């Protein structure tokens, strides 16, 4: 069982930066792949970024590649999403998720993740 709590959201101007954090509880955190998703009003929850359980490999959606960076600290049971050069279209509720993937592939679909946080709002003003 993994419980996830996101923080770090807020209001920022276009071109600015925010760093989201996700605190995890549970003894098996380091065995889970972690991901960030986001959901804007009236849209489906979409994949943003994923990181393998070891922290050595990352994967991004095309819309955030080069602007966002996902990282993790297994000792502290934390996952981060550094968001730079923010755009108005990045406005959404951002969710942290955990899923078990022992292979080399990345988890990019919502139903591949087993645990979710409650979300944190990010609003980018233009």
């Amino acid at each position: 069982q993994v419980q996830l709590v996101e923080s770090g959201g807020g209001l920022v101007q276009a071109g600015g930066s925010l760093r989201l954090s996700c605190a995890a509880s549970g003894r098996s955190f380091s065995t889970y792949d972690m991901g960030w998703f986001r959901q804007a009003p009236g849209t489906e929850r979409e994949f943003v970024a994923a990181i393998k359980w070891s922290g050595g490999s990352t994967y991004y959606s095309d819309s955030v590649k080069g602007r966002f960076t996902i990282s993790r600290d297994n000792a502290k049971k934390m996952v981060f999403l550094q968001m730079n050069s923010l755009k108005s279209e990045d406005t959404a509720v951002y969710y942290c998720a955990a899923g078990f993937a022992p292979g080399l592939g990345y988890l990019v679909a919502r139903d591949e993740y087993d645990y979710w946080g409650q979300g944190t709002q990010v609003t980018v003003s233009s």
Side-chain angles (χ1 to χ4, degrees), residues 69-88:
T69 302
I70 187 172
S71 60
R72 67 189 294 165
D73 185 334
N74 284 346
K76 296 182 179 179
K77 297 183 180 180
M78 296 288 295
V79 181
F80 307 98
L81 185 68
Q82 178 66 43
M83 306 186 295
N84 299 328
S85 303
L86 283 162
K87 307 174 182 179
S88 57

Side-chain angles (χ1 to χ4, degrees), residues 24-126:
S25 62
R27 289 181 287 181
S28 302
F29 172 75
S30 61
T31 66
Y32 283 91
D33 283 20
M34 299 299 295
W36 285 96
F37 284 72
R38 66 186 181 186
Q39 187 168 18
T43 69
E44 293 192 353
R45 193 171 299 187
E46 66 171 0
F47 169 79
V48 174
I51 187 167
K52 294 300 293 180
W53 58 271
S54 64
S57 299
T58 58
Y59 183 75
Y60 301 91
S61 68
D62 288 342
S63 60
V64 308
K65 195 176 300 180
R67 300 188 298 123
F68 290 12
T69 302
I70 187 172
S71 60
R72 67 189 294 165
D73 185 334
N74 284 346
K76 296 182 179 179
K77 297 183 180 180
M78 296 288 295
V79 181
F80 307 98
L81 185 68
Q82 178 66 43
M83 306 186 295
N84 299 328
S85 303
L86 283 162
K87 307 174 182 179
S88 57
E89 52 263 44
D90 294 319
T91 294
V93 176
Y94 282 72
Y95 297 90
C96 173
F100 188 62
L104 297 177
Y106 295 101
L107 303 181
V108 299
R110 287 174 296 171
D111 59 7
E112 294 180 304
Y113 286 87
D114 301 307
Y115 304 102
W116 293 84
Q118 84 290 347
T120 185
Q121 175 72 47
V122 171
T123 302
V124 183
S125 63
S126 57

